[in-house]
Amino acid sequence: MKLFPHAHATHPQWRMAAALVLAQLRAQMALPDFARSPSLALLYITDHYTEDAQAILEHLSAELPEVTDWAGTVGVGVSANNVEYFDEPALCVMLCDLGPDQYRVFSGVAPLPASGRAAGAKDFEAHTALVHADAGTPELAGLIAEMADRTRSGYVFGGLAASRGDSVQFSLGSAGNLSGQGAASGVFRGGLSGVAFGTDVGLISRVTQGAQPVDRERTVTAADGNLVLTLDDEPALDVLLRERVISLERPEQAMPRLRATLVGLSPPLPRRDGVDAAPSPRVRGQFGAEVLVRHLIGLDPGRRGVAIADVAPVGTRLAFCERNVQAARADLVRVCAEVREELEPEELSLSMATALAAPDAHAGPHPARRIAGAVYVSCSGRGGPHFGSPGAELQTVHRALGDVPLVGFFAGGEIAHHRLYGYTGVLTVFTMP
């Protein structure tokens, strides 16, 4: 495996942006450390280009005939190493150096079978998958969990398309479509699509949270659908108003504070010998990857309940929280450090240590880092507007991991493990042997 060629560009005209991207890709493919003829491409565009999605795919696939499989989607922004294009016309592409037997592109017309084994490929079994989805798809959370069940690891990663127009997805596979489904254009609307990866593809994936708890964690002791009635046997609305210092008698002050308040949900603690097990250790003041952040969507003064944008069955652990730039930055640094630590051997060979110490290792992607490529899916509510300056989020990743091939997009929801997250970032790296 060699480094993945990657490119990004912005321009009011998509053909000019595509020309810049193609020039970057061809220049990298001529370098000895980069893949020369990769067959899988990841393509992400901003919603400024949505109407031209089909033309963009056809143009790029015609200019890159060696690439037989395409996957991707649209976001309100796209990202690359050390840069983001937020709310402007842009696209990014990464060409993955994986053998055709190591992955399968799937979509509504060529779904991944329930067994995880792709049709016509008896020796391929999905170990994990990159998943793109339309937020308007019915029973989306259940479909994501079902997709995770179709993989050997039970882990999927990716995000929801985010667009002020059509929520398009790219999915064009050399394996073809299911019999009877007809020809597919490669541009889809609705449902799920993506790429399943086999066991030989090395991946490391982490979730970074963007919210910070502002109160201790409590247990849901009564609920009715998405209405939380009691927390630790106390009316949920009373807990919220007391802990967030909110008075409903002063709505002009209460509303901004309520809008800034979120809830972090964790699954019930497992029981051992009739006693709840201790929660997983976490950094003080930060959420772990098991926490799902959701909006408050209403209050019920009559039943003294709090309505949330999810279902929290009895036993669910709930903590009120709010978005926090410092906590988001610290947690992003943490997950990048975890990835870096997992990749670094206990002892560096002289040749590897020399390569990482050389100036060129910091000037461009280098095989000594053992990262062939990376995908970063961040919430559309993060990025420059949240971190304080354009590109600040991606610059944090760059400082932690170095100059590695990276593409991604700003999503309407992030996918990791078997669940749908919010206000998070999902970093996944392809590792070299």
Side-chain angles (χ1 to χ4, degrees):
M1 179 186 291
K2 291 192 174 185
L3 293 170
F4 295 175
H6 61 293
H8 52 91
T10 177
H11 197 278
Q13 299 178 21
W14 71 262
R15 287 187 180 276
M16 292 298 295
L20 294 169
V21 162
L22 289 168
Q24 295 171 55
L25 292 174
R26 288 165 178 154
Q28 292 176 21
M29 292 164 72
L31 298 175
D33 289 335
F34 283 84
R36 290 184 177 275
S37 56
S39 59
L40 171 65
L42 302 181
L43 166 62
Y44 297 114
I45 64 172
T46 63
D47 57 0
H48 293 73
Y49 289 155
T50 301
E51 293 183 357
D52 299 303
Q54 186 66 55
I56 291 172
L57 179 61
E58 292 176 355
H59 177 74
L60 292 176
S61 58
E63 292 292 325
L64 297 168
E66 62 271 64
V67 179
T68 57
D69 301 87
W70 293 79
T73 189
V74 60
V76 293
V78 297
S79 58
N81 190 0
N82 211 27
V83 64
E84 66 184 36
Y85 300 101
F86 208 92
D87 194 22
E88 60 180 312
L91 62 91
C92 60
V93 177
M94 186 164 70
L95 307 181
C96 306
D97 186 26
L98 302 174
D101 60 335
Q102 297 177 322
Y103 68 87
R104 289 295 180 274
V105 173
F106 62 86
S107 65
V109 297
L112 192 67
S115 65
R117 294 184 178 274
K122 297 180 180 179
D123 57 342
F124 177 82
E125 184 176 9
H127 183 69
T128 184
L130 167 61
V131 178
H132 306 123
D134 189 319
T137 302
E139 305 295 333
L140 180 58
L143 291 176
I144 293 171
E146 182 186 8
M147 179 59 66
D149 289 339
R150 299 187 183 196
T151 67
R152 185 174 179 180
S153 67
Y155 184 96
V156 294
F157 61 96
L160 307 187
S163 174
R164 288 158 291 194
D166 284 345
S167 294
V168 299
Q169 299 171 53
F170 299 106
S171 182
L172 189 61
S174 56
N177 306 322
L178 289 179
S179 177
Q181 296 296 321
S185 65
V187 177
F188 293 86
R189 293 163 179 81
L192 276 64
S193 66
V195 188
F197 301 101
T199 55
D200 293 334
V201 179
L203 290 168
I204 300 174
S205 188
R206 293 290 187 275
V207 178
T208 175
Q209 295 280 5
Q212 183 180 47
V214 295
D215 184 26
R216 69 178 178 86
E217 195 171 66
R218 292 175 168 82
T219 300
V220 176
T221 48
D224 182 7
N226 67 341
L227 183 66
V228 178
L229 296 171
T230 62
L231 296 170
D232 289 346
D233 295 321
E234 184 180 359
L237 181 57
D238 294 350
V239 175
L240 169 65
L241 298 180
R242 182 183 68 244
E243 298 300 334
R244 297 295 283 153
V245 194
I246 296 172
S247 173
L248 297 183
E249 296 177 356
R250 299 178 178 177
E252 69 283 354
Q253 298 177 9
M255 291 308 298
R257 200 155 180 80
L258 285 171
R259 290 192 186 100
T261 303
L262 308 166
V263 295
L265 305 177
S266 304
L269 291 172
R271 297 183 66 82
R272 297 172 185 168
D273 299 325
V275 179
D276 288 344
S280 302
R282 65 173 62 146
V283 178
R284 184 177 181 180
Q286 293 186 4
F287 281 142
E290 79 282 0
V291 177
L292 301 178
V293 177
R294 296 292 187 258
H295 285 285
L296 295 179
I297 59 174
L299 307 177
D300 188 338
R303 302 175 71 184
R304 308 305 292 172
V306 176
I308 62 175
D310 207 332
V311 176
V314 171
T316 301
R317 293 172 290 154
L318 183 150
F320 293 110
C321 58
E322 63 185 7
R323 299 178 66 200
N324 184 281
V325 177
Q326 288 73 28
R329 186 179 293 113
D331 200 53
L332 180 56
V333 171
R334 176 189 63 82
V335 299
C336 289
E338 288 183 1
V339 171
R340 190 176 63 246
E341 183 177 354
E342 190 165 341
L343 286 171
E344 291 179 352
E346 293 183 3
E347 295 183 2
L348 287 175
S349 65
L350 179 60
S351 60
M352 182 177 290
T354 302
L356 287 175
D360 66 335
H362 298 280
H366 199 286
R369 291 195 182 91
R370 295 188 57 213
I371 299 178
V375 176
Y376 186 55
V377 180
S378 184
C379 177
S380 57
R382 288 167 60 107
H386 182 57
F387 281 79
S389 62
E393 184 175 12
L394 275 300
Q395 290 164 12
T396 300
V397 176
H398 178 266
R399 284 193 295 269
L401 296 184
D403 202 358
V404 299
L406 182 148
V407 295
F409 70 106
F410 290 90
E414 305 76 60
I415 297 169
H417 298 279
H418 57 280
R419 298 183 291 179
L420 180 62
Y421 288 80
Y423 298 114
T424 63
V426 181
L427 174 65
T428 306
V429 302
F430 295 83
T431 64
M432 290 182 171

